[in-house]
Amino acid sequence: MYVCSCFGVTEQQVKKHAEAGACTPRQIASACKAGTDCGGCVRTIQAMLGRGACPRRELLDQKQPAGAVERLDAGTAPAPVAGFPEAA
């Protein structure tokens, strides 16, 4: 099944790049361009990568301040990232 129609990237290709060490959608994009045109596949790629599958991700989770999740749940949203459209 195609994950990225813009560049013809399949689910199998994304899995192959993930097995080779790509832990984030940005790393997948660097490997095969998926997610760099319309962006419609980025959420699918995120879901495929899952959480905790990458050793670096686990290290980042350990460094996160203990109350960070509660602050976000309290209604504080992170600042928008340059180059990404804001949710309407």
Side-chain angles (χ1 to χ4, degrees):
M1 176 175 97
Y2 284 102
V3 172
C4 175
S5 299
C6 297
F7 293 104
V9 179
T10 65
E11 187 175 327
Q12 190 64 28
Q13 288 172 298
V14 172
K15 288 179 182 179
K16 178 181 142 196
H17 291 302
E19 289 170 3
C23 299
T24 65
R26 188 170 294 212
Q27 291 172 339
I28 295 291
S30 293
C32 63
K33 292 188 176 183
T36 61
D37 193 28
C38 78
C41 59
V42 173
R43 288 183 189 247
T44 303
I45 294 169
Q46 287 172 328
M48 288 178 67
L49 294 174
R51 204 170 143 76
C54 178
R56 291 183 63 214
R57 168 61 72 188
E58 291 170 9
L59 291 174
L60 290 173
D61 289 344
Q62 290 173 1
K63 292 181 182 180
Q64 181 178 1
V69 174
E70 290 84 13
R71 284 195 299 271
L72 287 175
D73 290 341
T76 326
V81 176
F84 287 91
E86 292 183 356

